[in-house]
Amino acid sequence: MKFEPKKDIKRIIIVCLAAVIMALNIKSFVRTGGLYPGGATGLTLLLQRMGELFFHVTIPYTIVNVALNAVPVYIGFRFIGKKFTLYSCLMIVLTSVLTDILPGYVITYDTLLISIFGGLINGLVISMCLMMNATTGGTDFIAIFLSERKGIDSWNMVLGLNVVILVAAGILFGWDKALYSIIFQYTSTQVLHMLYKKYQQETLFVVTNKAKEVYEAIARTTNHGATIIEGEGSYEKRERKIVYSVVSSAESKRVLKAINEADPEAFVNLMKTEQIAGKFYQKPTE
């Protein structure tokens, strides 16, 4: 585990900022609306509310959230990456402590607005952490574990798991809050899909006269291989080559730039890939 001062200081600053935003979102939106956002956060709030309602005991957010993240943190250390997990622990602990000590500011009592804008902020914070190679904890660890082991975009699967928490909340505290919580979680997931694309793939078809140079540009930029297919241009009846490759959506802009530098005359068709099978290179998580 190597420490890189410039890179790691930037990561620490952004993770700390994300923790502050997450804590304020919980205090100002989630608790005001009585929502249960899913994951460890939603389960923590559910347990806190159960303690207050049934046992008249106020349980600190920090104790419950840290305890619930124990198993996901183990999964992170064991299967994902030590540095990744350490930054995630910073996010989990700092968010928990700030949620307990920061005051809440009521911006609106409209539950629909809270669900939408709270979900937007939640998705933004999760994306900030993931871009810095960290996570907010809980089901995020599980999603990344499944994505790296199975090669699939598993965030919708996590959305399904969170429905279980929402059903429990609906039975105990009313279905209106549970349904609004689904809007919150759906909005958060869609923002995540838009901003974080590491586990989404795109297919490249490049028609070119410089197949070798284009392949080398793809390999140099992404570490992915390519298949070169023989073809013929129907208009000029000239031999052409088609370079076929699959890359991460997060890499696509850099790949297109590299291809254009290798062959400015290349014709590129970039398509969203729904699912792949077989070996696909993923940059190792630290």
Side-chain angles (χ1 to χ4, degrees):
M1 190 170 61
K2 184 180 178 182
F3 181 74
E4 303 170 76
K6 186 176 179 180
K7 181 179 177 182
D8 286 317
I9 289 171
K10 177 184 176 183
R11 288 170 69 178
I12 290 170
I13 292 171
I14 293 179
V15 167
C16 290
L17 176 62
V20 173
I21 297 172
M22 177 69 87
L24 289 173
N25 191 39
I26 292 171
K27 296 296 287 283
S28 298
F29 282 102
V30 177
R31 281 185 172 167
T32 302
L35 303 181
Y36 303 92
T41 300
L43 188 53
T44 299
L45 293 171
L46 180 62
L47 292 173
Q48 280 190 303
R49 204 150 292 176
M50 288 173 63
E52 292 170 358
L53 182 64
F54 299 117
F55 304 103
H56 308 291
V57 175
T58 301
I59 309 170
Y61 183 92
T62 301
I63 293 174
V64 181
N65 195 45
V66 170
L68 290 175
N69 275 287
V71 173
V73 165
Y74 169 77
I75 291 173
F77 271 115
R78 181 72 175 81
F79 299 107
I80 301 176
K82 292 181 174 59
K83 204 170 186 180
F84 171 87
T85 307
L86 285 174
Y87 280 110
S88 301
C89 288
L90 172 64
M91 177 68 186
I92 293 165
V93 173
L94 189 57
T95 300
S96 301
V97 172
L98 290 174
T99 300
D100 279 330
I101 65 175
L102 286 178
Y105 298 97
V106 178
I107 298 173
T108 177
Y109 287 103
D110 188 311
T111 311
L112 181 58
L113 288 176
I114 289 172
S115 302
I116 294 172
F117 286 96
L120 288 172
I121 295 169
N122 192 64
L124 173 63
V125 170
I126 294 173
S127 300
M128 286 171 64
C129 289
L130 291 172
M131 288 174 186
M132 291 296 106
N133 207 13
T135 181
T136 56
T139 50
D140 293 355
F141 277 112
I142 298 170
I144 292 168
F145 171 70
L146 291 174
S147 295
E148 294 198 347
R149 284 301 176 100
K150 301 297 182 181
I152 57 175
D153 184 15
S154 59
W155 297 102
N156 283 330
M157 296 173 61
V158 171
L159 177 60
L161 293 174
N162 289 334
V163 169
V164 176
I165 296 174
L166 300 179
V167 169
I171 293 172
L172 292 171
F173 302 109
W175 290 106
D176 57 336
K177 300 300 184 183
L179 294 173
Y180 278 121
S181 297
I182 292 175
I183 296 174
F184 177 100
Q185 191 62 39
Y186 179 80
T187 304
S188 178
T189 303
Q190 295 310 304
V191 172
L192 181 60
H193 274 295
M194 289 174 57
L195 298 180
Y196 187 69
K197 300 182 178 181
K198 179 179 178 181
Y199 298 110
Q200 300 173 37
Q201 291 86 36
E202 294 182 342
T203 298
L204 278 168
F205 286 100
V206 186
V207 181
T208 178
N209 287 325
K210 299 179 179 179
K212 183 180 178 182
E213 290 85 346
V214 168
Y215 158 69
E216 290 175 349
I218 294 171
R220 184 174 59 252
T221 307
T222 67
N223 283 323
H224 293 303
T227 300
I228 298 175
I229 305 168
E230 299 287 345
E232 180 184 286
S234 60
Y235 181 73
E236 296 181 342
K237 303 297 181 183
R238 292 174 57 188
E239 179 183 311
R240 302 280 276 176
K241 298 281 179 46
I242 301 172
V243 181
Y244 161 77
S245 185
V246 179
V247 301
S248 166
S249 297
E251 302 167 325
S252 60
K253 288 185 179 179
R254 291 188 290 114
V255 172
L256 290 174
K257 182 179 178 182
I259 291 172
N260 185 63
E261 290 172 354
D263 180 11
E265 302 298 322
F267 178 83
V268 183
N269 184 9
L270 187 66
M271 301 179 294
K272 181 176 176 59
T273 301
E274 292 297 328
Q275 187 173 350
I276 58 173
K279 293 183 178 180
F280 181 78
Y281 174 81
Q282 290 280 13
K283 185 179 178 181
T285 303
E286 297 177 282

